[in-house]
PDB file of all heavy atoms in Angstrom:
ATOM      1  N   LEU A  29       0.847  -1.196  -0.018  1.00  0.00           N
ATOM      2  CA  LEU A  29      -0.026  -0.029   0.011  1.00  0.00           C
ATOM      3  C   LEU A  29       0.875   1.230   0.022  1.00  0.00           C
ATOM      4  O   LEU A  29       1.602   1.481   0.911  1.00  0.00           O
ATOM      5  CB  LEU A  29      -0.936  -0.051   1.249  1.00  0.00           C
ATOM      6  CG  LEU A  29      -1.818   1.200   1.358  1.00  0.00           C
ATOM      7  CD1 LEU A  29      -2.870   1.218   0.283  1.00  0.00           C
ATOM      8  CD2 LEU A  29      -2.584   1.126   2.741  1.00  0.00           C
ATOM      9  N   VAL A  30       0.745   2.040  -1.046  1.00  0.00           N
ATOM     10  CA  VAL A  30       1.531   3.263  -1.133  1.00  0.00           C
ATOM     11  C   VAL A  30       0.610   4.377  -1.519  1.00  0.00           C
ATOM     12  O   VAL A  30       0.016   4.387  -2.532  1.00  0.00           O
ATOM     13  CB  VAL A  30       2.647   3.137  -2.254  1.00  0.00           C
ATOM     14  CG1 VAL A  30       3.458   4.439  -2.309  1.00  0.00           C
ATOM     15  CG2 VAL A  30       3.634   1.976  -1.930  1.00  0.00           C
ATOM     16  N   LEU A  31       0.335   5.287  -0.622  1.00  0.00           N
ATOM     17  CA  LEU A  31      -0.561   6.355  -0.745  1.00  0.00           C
ATOM     18  C   LEU A  31       0.100   7.727  -0.340  1.00  0.00           C
ATOM     19  O   LEU A  31       0.918   7.730   0.539  1.00  0.00           O
ATOM     20  CB  LEU A  31      -1.828   6.183   0.012  1.00  0.00           C
ATOM     21  CG  LEU A  31      -2.697   4.911  -0.363  1.00  0.00           C
ATOM     22  CD1 LEU A  31      -3.779   4.664   0.718  1.00  0.00           C
ATOM     23  CD2 LEU A  31      -3.397   5.169  -1.718  1.00  0.00           C
ATOM     24  N   SER A  32      -0.261   8.714  -0.996  1.00  0.00           N
ATOM     25  CA  SER A  32       0.282  10.029  -0.588  1.00  0.00           C
ATOM     26  C   SER A  32      -0.536  10.593   0.575  1.00  0.00           C
ATOM     27  O   SER A  32      -1.753  10.894   0.374  1.00  0.00           O
ATOM     28  CB  SER A  32       0.256  11.077  -1.760  1.00  0.00           C
ATOM     29  OG  SER A  32      -1.055  11.248  -2.261  1.00  0.00           O
ATOM     30  N   ALA A  33      -0.001  10.811   1.740  1.00  0.00           N
ATOM     31  CA  ALA A  33      -0.703  11.194   2.906  1.00  0.00           C
ATOM     32  C   ALA A  33      -0.664  12.766   3.015  1.00  0.00           C
ATOM     33  O   ALA A  33       0.343  13.348   2.682  1.00  0.00           O
ATOM     34  CB  ALA A  33      -0.144  10.556   4.149  1.00  0.00           C
ATOM     35  N   ALA A  34      -1.732  13.312   3.456  1.00  0.00           N
ATOM     36  CA  ALA A  34      -1.825  14.720   3.627  1.00  0.00           C
ATOM     37  C   ALA A  34      -1.241  15.115   4.930  1.00  0.00           C
ATOM     38  O   ALA A  34      -1.513  14.505   5.921  1.00  0.00           O
ATOM     39  CB  ALA A  34      -3.205  15.257   3.465  1.00  0.00           C
ATOM     40  N   ALA A  35      -0.448  16.228   4.940  1.00  0.00           N
ATOM     41  CA  ALA A  35      -0.048  16.710   6.278  1.00  0.00           C
ATOM     42  C   ALA A  35      -1.137  17.488   6.974  1.00  0.00           C
ATOM     43  O   ALA A  35      -2.118  17.744   6.370  1.00  0.00           O
ATOM     44  CB  ALA A  35       1.235  17.680   6.003  1.00  0.00           C
ATOM     45  N   CYS A  36      -0.911  17.761   8.274  1.00  0.00           N
ATOM     46  CA  CYS A  36      -1.918  18.468   9.052  1.00  0.00           C
ATOM     47  C   CYS A  36      -2.284  19.816   8.329  1.00  0.00           C
ATOM     48  O   CYS A  36      -1.381  20.585   7.880  1.00  0.00           O
ATOM     49  CB  CYS A  36      -1.326  18.740  10.420  1.00  0.00           C
ATOM     50  SG  CYS A  36      -2.485  19.788  11.421  1.00  0.00           S
ATOM     51  N   GLY A  37      -3.567  20.059   8.164  1.00  0.00           N
ATOM     52  CA  GLY A  37      -3.973  21.359   7.588  1.00  0.00           C
ATOM     53  C   GLY A  37      -4.153  21.237   6.078  1.00  0.00           C
ATOM     54  O   GLY A  37      -4.826  22.121   5.524  1.00  0.00           O
ATOM     55  N   GLU A  38      -3.659  20.225   5.358  1.00  0.00           N
ATOM     56  CA  GLU A  38      -3.828  19.980   3.964  1.00  0.00           C
ATOM     57  C   GLU A  38      -5.056  19.221   3.728  1.00  0.00           C
ATOM     58  O   GLU A  38      -5.650  18.602   4.595  1.00  0.00           O
ATOM     59  CB  GLU A  38      -2.601  19.387   3.388  1.00  0.00           C
ATOM     60  CG  GLU A  38      -1.316  20.188   3.540  1.00  0.00           C
ATOM     61  CD  GLU A  38      -0.177  19.521   3.006  1.00  0.00           C
ATOM     62  OE1 GLU A  38      -0.317  18.343   2.558  1.00  0.00           O
ATOM     63  OE2 GLU A  38       0.937  20.094   3.019  1.00  0.00           O
ATOM     64  N   ALA A  39      -5.542  19.246   2.503  1.00  0.00           N
ATOM     65  CA  ALA A  39      -6.695  18.470   2.099  1.00  0.00           C
ATOM     66  C   ALA A  39      -6.317  16.981   2.319  1.00  0.00           C
ATOM     67  O   ALA A  39      -5.263  16.480   1.768  1.00  0.00           O
ATOM     68  CB  ALA A  39      -7.096  18.649   0.646  1.00  0.00           C
ATOM     69  N   PRO A  40      -7.105  16.203   3.038  1.00  0.00           N
ATOM     70  CA  PRO A  40      -6.736  14.744   3.227  1.00  0.00           C
ATOM     71  C   PRO A  40      -6.994  13.918   2.034  1.00  0.00           C
ATOM     72  O   PRO A  40      -7.784  14.269   1.114  1.00  0.00           O
ATOM     73  CB  PRO A  40      -7.716  14.472   4.438  1.00  0.00           C
ATOM     74  CG  PRO A  40      -8.961  15.282   4.256  1.00  0.00           C
ATOM     75  CD  PRO A  40      -8.321  16.612   3.684  1.00  0.00           C
ATOM     76  N   GLU A  41      -6.334  12.785   2.078  1.00  0.00           N
ATOM     77  CA  GLU A  41      -6.546  11.727   1.017  1.00  0.00           C
ATOM     78  C   GLU A  41      -8.001  11.284   1.069  1.00  0.00           C
ATOM     79  O   GLU A  41      -8.599  11.029   2.097  1.00  0.00           O
ATOM     80  CB  GLU A  41      -5.691  10.547   1.301  1.00  0.00           C
ATOM     81  CG  GLU A  41      -5.877   9.381   0.366  1.00  0.00           C
ATOM     82  CD  GLU A  41      -5.193   9.623  -1.084  1.00  0.00           C
ATOM     83  OE1 GLU A  41      -4.354  10.505  -1.138  1.00  0.00           O
ATOM     84  OE2 GLU A  41      -5.493   8.895  -1.981  1.00  0.00           O
ATOM     85  N   SER A  42      -8.624  11.058  -0.066  1.00  0.00           N
ATOM     86  CA  SER A  42     -10.027  10.772  -0.100  1.00  0.00           C
ATOM     87  C   SER A  42     -10.347   9.702  -1.136  1.00  0.00           C
ATOM     88  O   SER A  42      -9.691   9.662  -2.141  1.00  0.00           O
ATOM     89  CB  SER A  42     -10.885  12.037  -0.385  1.00  0.00           C
ATOM     90  OG  SER A  42     -12.260  11.767  -0.514  1.00  0.00           O
ATOM     91  N   ASN A  43     -11.347   8.899  -0.898  1.00  0.00           N
ATOM     92  CA  ASN A  43     -11.860   7.901  -1.788  1.00  0.00           C
ATOM     93  C   ASN A  43     -13.293   8.117  -1.950  1.00  0.00           C
ATOM     94  O   ASN A  43     -14.169   7.318  -1.439  1.00  0.00           O
ATOM     95  CB  ASN A  43     -11.590   6.470  -1.204  1.00  0.00           C
ATOM     96  CG  ASN A  43     -10.292   5.911  -1.698  1.00  0.00           C
ATOM     97  OD1 ASN A  43      -9.433   6.573  -2.227  1.00  0.00           O
ATOM     98  ND2 ASN A  43     -10.121   4.641  -1.341  1.00  0.00           N
ATOM     99  N   ASN A  44     -13.716   9.167  -2.597  1.00  0.00           N
ATOM    100  CA  ASN A  44     -15.082   9.533  -2.719  1.00  0.00           C
ATOM    101  C   ASN A  44     -15.651   8.807  -3.971  1.00  0.00           C
ATOM    102  O   ASN A  44     -14.959   8.814  -5.019  1.00  0.00           O
ATOM    103  CB  ASN A  44     -15.290  10.999  -2.837  1.00  0.00           C
ATOM    104  CG  ASN A  44     -14.992  11.721  -1.566  1.00  0.00           C
ATOM    105  OD1 ASN A  44     -15.159  11.172  -0.535  1.00  0.00           O
ATOM    106  ND2 ASN A  44     -14.407  12.954  -1.604  1.00  0.00           N
ATOM    107  N   ALA A  45     -16.772   8.217  -3.908  1.00  0.00           N
ATOM    108  CA  ALA A  45     -17.273   7.408  -5.042  1.00  0.00           C
ATOM    109  C   ALA A  45     -18.412   8.057  -5.702  1.00  0.00           C
ATOM    110  O   ALA A  45     -19.650   7.637  -5.531  1.00  0.00           O
ATOM    111  CB  ALA A  45     -17.689   6.007  -4.514  1.00  0.00           C
ATOM    112  N   GLY A  46     -18.234   9.163  -6.356  1.00  0.00           N
ATOM    113  CA  GLY A  46     -19.212   9.759  -7.174  1.00  0.00           C
ATOM    114  C   GLY A  46     -20.337  10.302  -6.324  1.00  0.00           C
ATOM    115  O   GLY A  46     -20.209  10.628  -5.195  1.00  0.00           O
ATOM    116  N   SER A  47     -21.514  10.599  -6.981  1.00  0.00           N
ATOM    117  CA  SER A  47     -22.673  11.193  -6.386  1.00  0.00           C
ATOM    118  C   SER A  47     -23.753  10.200  -6.148  1.00  0.00           C
ATOM    119  O   SER A  47     -23.570   9.017  -6.536  1.00  0.00           O
ATOM    120  CB  SER A  47     -23.169  12.361  -7.155  1.00  0.00           C
ATOM    121  OG  SER A  47     -23.395  12.019  -8.482  1.00  0.00           O
ATOM    122  N   GLY A  48     -24.878  10.611  -5.736  1.00  0.00           N
ATOM    123  CA  GLY A  48     -26.005   9.664  -5.609  1.00  0.00           C
ATOM    124  C   GLY A  48     -26.318   9.366  -4.190  1.00  0.00           C
ATOM    125  O   GLY A  48     -25.793   8.311  -3.695  1.00  0.00           O
ATOM    126  N   GLY A  49     -27.071  10.167  -3.507  1.00  0.00           N
ATOM    127  CA  GLY A  49     -27.487   9.913  -2.164  1.00  0.00           C
ATOM    128  C   GLY A  49     -26.413  10.421  -1.175  1.00  0.00           C
ATOM    129  O   GLY A  49     -25.222  10.616  -1.509  1.00  0.00           O
ATOM    130  N   GLU A  50     -26.822  10.454   0.056  1.00  0.00           N
ATOM    131  CA  GLU A  50     -25.918  10.991   1.119  1.00  0.00           C
ATOM    132  C   GLU A  50     -25.006   9.890   1.543  1.00  0.00           C
ATOM    133  O   GLU A  50     -25.534   8.784   1.868  1.00  0.00           O
ATOM    134  CB  GLU A  50     -26.745  11.542   2.272  1.00  0.00           C
ATOM    135  CG  GLU A  50     -25.900  12.208   3.425  1.00  0.00           C
ATOM    136  CD  GLU A  50     -26.767  12.935   4.386  1.00  0.00           C
ATOM    137  OE1 GLU A  50     -27.878  13.307   4.069  1.00  0.00           O
ATOM    138  OE2 GLU A  50     -26.210  13.173   5.515  1.00  0.00           O
ATOM    139  N   LYS A  51     -23.762  10.139   1.673  1.00  0.00           N
ATOM    140  CA  LYS A  51     -22.771   9.120   1.965  1.00  0.00           C
ATOM    141  C   LYS A  51     -22.477   9.065   3.436  1.00  0.00           C
ATOM    142  O   LYS A  51     -22.685  10.125   4.117  1.00  0.00           O
ATOM    143  CB  LYS A  51     -21.462   9.396   1.205  1.00  0.00           C
ATOM    144  CG  LYS A  51     -21.497   9.318  -0.251  1.00  0.00           C
ATOM    145  CD  LYS A  51     -21.684   7.882  -0.722  1.00  0.00           C
ATOM    146  CE  LYS A  51     -21.603   7.775  -2.222  1.00  0.00           C
ATOM    147  NZ  LYS A  51     -21.667   6.320  -2.700  1.00  0.00           N
ATOM    148  N   TYR A  52     -22.144   7.934   3.902  1.00  0.00           N
ATOM    149  CA  TYR A  52     -21.639   7.786   5.308  1.00  0.00           C
ATOM    150  C   TYR A  52     -20.117   7.970   5.230  1.00  0.00           C
ATOM    151  O   TYR A  52     -19.425   7.222   4.646  1.00  0.00           O
ATOM    152  CB  TYR A  52     -21.979   6.456   5.896  1.00  0.00           C
ATOM    153  CG  TYR A  52     -21.615   6.274   7.289  1.00  0.00           C
ATOM    154  CD1 TYR A  52     -22.481   6.550   8.360  1.00  0.00           C
ATOM    155  CD2 TYR A  52     -20.373   5.791   7.687  1.00  0.00           C
ATOM    156  CE1 TYR A  52     -22.159   6.501   9.668  1.00  0.00           C
ATOM    157  CE2 TYR A  52     -19.944   5.580   9.012  1.00  0.00           C
ATOM    158  CZ  TYR A  52     -20.861   6.004  10.014  1.00  0.00           C
ATOM    159  OH  TYR A  52     -20.467   5.824  11.358  1.00  0.00           O
ATOM    160  N   THR A  53     -19.565   8.897   5.940  1.00  0.00           N
ATOM    161  CA  THR A  53     -18.153   9.291   5.861  1.00  0.00           C
ATOM    162  C   THR A  53     -17.378   8.693   7.022  1.00  0.00           C
ATOM    163  O   THR A  53     -17.698   9.014   8.187  1.00  0.00           O
ATOM    164  CB  THR A  53     -17.889  10.803   5.764  1.00  0.00           C
ATOM    165  OG1 THR A  53     -18.613  11.453   6.842  1.00  0.00           O
ATOM    166  CG2 THR A  53     -18.424  11.288   4.453  1.00  0.00           C
ATOM    167  N   ALA A  54     -16.416   7.871   6.710  1.00  0.00           N
ATOM    168  CA  ALA A  54     -15.503   7.365   7.682  1.00  0.00           C
ATOM    169  C   ALA A  54     -14.074   7.980   7.480  1.00  0.00           C
ATOM    170  O   ALA A  54     -13.528   7.819   6.414  1.00  0.00           O
ATOM    171  CB  ALA A  54     -15.442   5.863   7.703  1.00  0.00           C
ATOM    172  N   CYS A  55     -13.598   8.705   8.455  1.00  0.00           N
ATOM    173  CA  CYS A  55     -12.383   9.570   8.303  1.00  0.00           C
ATOM    174  C   CYS A  55     -11.394   9.058   9.256  1.00  0.00           C
ATOM    175  O   CYS A  55     -11.619   8.940  10.540  1.00  0.00           O
ATOM    176  CB  CYS A  55     -12.741  10.972   8.541  1.00  0.00           C
ATOM    177  SG  CYS A  55     -14.161  11.592   7.539  1.00  0.00           S
ATOM    178  N   MET A  56     -10.113   8.812   8.886  1.00  0.00           N
ATOM    179  CA  MET A  56      -9.077   8.237   9.725  1.00  0.00           C
ATOM    180  C   MET A  56      -7.928   9.230   9.926  1.00  0.00           C
ATOM    181  O   MET A  56      -7.439   9.829   8.935  1.00  0.00           O
ATOM    182  CB  MET A  56      -8.620   6.944   9.117  1.00  0.00           C
ATOM    183  CG  MET A  56      -7.470   6.265   9.864  1.00  0.00           C
ATOM    184  SD  MET A  56      -6.991   4.701   9.122  1.00  0.00           S
ATOM    185  CE  MET A  56      -5.333   5.055   8.600  1.00  0.00           C
ATOM    186  N   VAL A  57      -7.486   9.326  11.132  1.00  0.00           N
ATOM    187  CA  VAL A  57      -6.257  10.101  11.524  1.00  0.00           C
ATOM    188  C   VAL A  57      -5.176   9.107  11.808  1.00  0.00           C
ATOM    189  O   VAL A  57      -5.273   8.367  12.777  1.00  0.00           O
ATOM    190  CB  VAL A  57      -6.510  11.058  12.614  1.00  0.00           C
ATOM    191  CG1 VAL A  57      -5.192  11.806  13.016  1.00  0.00           C
ATOM    192  CG2 VAL A  57      -7.642  12.001  12.354  1.00  0.00           C
ATOM    193  N   THR A  58      -4.103   9.061  11.007  1.00  0.00           N
ATOM    194  CA  THR A  58      -2.963   8.182  11.322  1.00  0.00           C
ATOM    195  C   THR A  58      -2.131   8.631  12.483  1.00  0.00           C
ATOM    196  O   THR A  58      -2.128   9.812  12.803  1.00  0.00           O
ATOM    197  CB  THR A  58      -2.070   7.978  10.111  1.00  0.00           C
ATOM    198  OG1 THR A  58      -1.123   9.114  10.000  1.00  0.00           O
ATOM    199  CG2 THR A  58      -2.787   7.804   8.804  1.00  0.00           C
ATOM    200  N   ASP A  59      -1.370   7.698  13.071  1.00  0.00           N
ATOM    201  CA  ASP A  59      -0.303   8.057  13.970  1.00  0.00           C
ATOM    202  C   ASP A  59       0.882   8.515  13.085  1.00  0.00           C
ATOM    203  O   ASP A  59       0.867   8.418  11.835  1.00  0.00           O
ATOM    204  CB  ASP A  59       0.035   6.896  14.875  1.00  0.00           C
ATOM    205  CG  ASP A  59       0.690   7.251  16.135  1.00  0.00           C
ATOM    206  OD1 ASP A  59       1.214   8.423  16.259  1.00  0.00           O
ATOM    207  OD2 ASP A  59       0.761   6.509  17.098  1.00  0.00           O
ATOM    208  N   VAL A  60       2.003   8.877  13.783  1.00  0.00           N
ATOM    209  CA  VAL A  60       3.154   9.407  13.046  1.00  0.00           C
ATOM    210  C   VAL A  60       3.888   8.460  12.175  1.00  0.00           C
ATOM    211  O   VAL A  60       4.669   8.921  11.358  1.00  0.00           O
ATOM    212  CB  VAL A  60       4.119  10.116  14.072  1.00  0.00           C
ATOM    213  CG1 VAL A  60       3.494  11.285  14.761  1.00  0.00           C
ATOM    214  CG2 VAL A  60       4.597   9.004  15.075  1.00  0.00           C
ATOM    215  N   GLY A  61       3.639   7.198  12.280  1.00  0.00           N
ATOM    216  CA  GLY A  61       4.274   6.207  11.387  1.00  0.00           C
ATOM    217  C   GLY A  61       3.877   6.291   9.957  1.00  0.00           C
ATOM    218  O   GLY A  61       4.559   5.857   9.099  1.00  0.00           O
ATOM    219  N   GLY A  62       2.688   6.955   9.679  1.00  0.00           N
ATOM    220  CA  GLY A  62       2.243   7.152   8.322  1.00  0.00           C
ATOM    221  C   GLY A  62       1.399   6.002   7.762  1.00  0.00           C
ATOM    222  O   GLY A  62       1.414   4.939   8.318  1.00  0.00           O
ATOM    223  N   ILE A  63       0.738   6.307   6.664  1.00  0.00           N
ATOM    224  CA  ILE A  63      -0.188   5.309   6.105  1.00  0.00           C
ATOM    225  C   ILE A  63       0.516   3.984   5.622  1.00  0.00           C
ATOM    226  O   ILE A  63      -0.065   2.945   5.554  1.00  0.00           O
ATOM    227  CB  ILE A  63      -0.977   5.925   4.999  1.00  0.00           C
ATOM    228  CG1 ILE A  63      -2.321   5.145   4.639  1.00  0.00           C
ATOM    229  CG2 ILE A  63      -0.237   6.155   3.787  1.00  0.00           C
ATOM    230  CD1 ILE A  63      -3.318   5.207   5.737  1.00  0.00           C
ATOM    231  N   ASP A  64       1.761   4.116   5.234  1.00  0.00           N
ATOM    232  CA  ASP A  64       2.453   3.016   4.618  1.00  0.00           C
ATOM    233  C   ASP A  64       3.510   2.393   5.572  1.00  0.00           C
ATOM    234  O   ASP A  64       4.554   2.068   5.182  1.00  0.00           O
ATOM    235  CB  ASP A  64       3.134   3.392   3.287  1.00  0.00           C
ATOM    236  CG  ASP A  64       3.542   2.213   2.381  1.00  0.00           C
ATOM    237  OD1 ASP A  64       2.772   1.253   2.461  1.00  0.00           O
ATOM    238  OD2 ASP A  64       4.589   2.332   1.794  1.00  0.00           O
TER     239      ASP A  64
END
């Protein structure tokens, strides 16, 4: 898994799947080790 992680205050990494109805949003804050 290699993803570009956003630093504090920047726009976070997102996996938004188009439109159509209200989505349930699950948002994760990593520890300092990073996403990878």
Side-chain angles (χ1 to χ4, degrees):
L29 179 63
V30 181
L31 296 166
S32 59
C36 176
E38 298 176 359
E41 177 76 18
S42 178
N43 271 8
N44 293 329
S47 58
E50 188 171 337
K51 295 289 186 176
Y52 183 90
T53 52
C55 308
M56 179 177 116
V57 179
T58 80
D59 204 344
V60 293
I63 197 71
D64 196 35

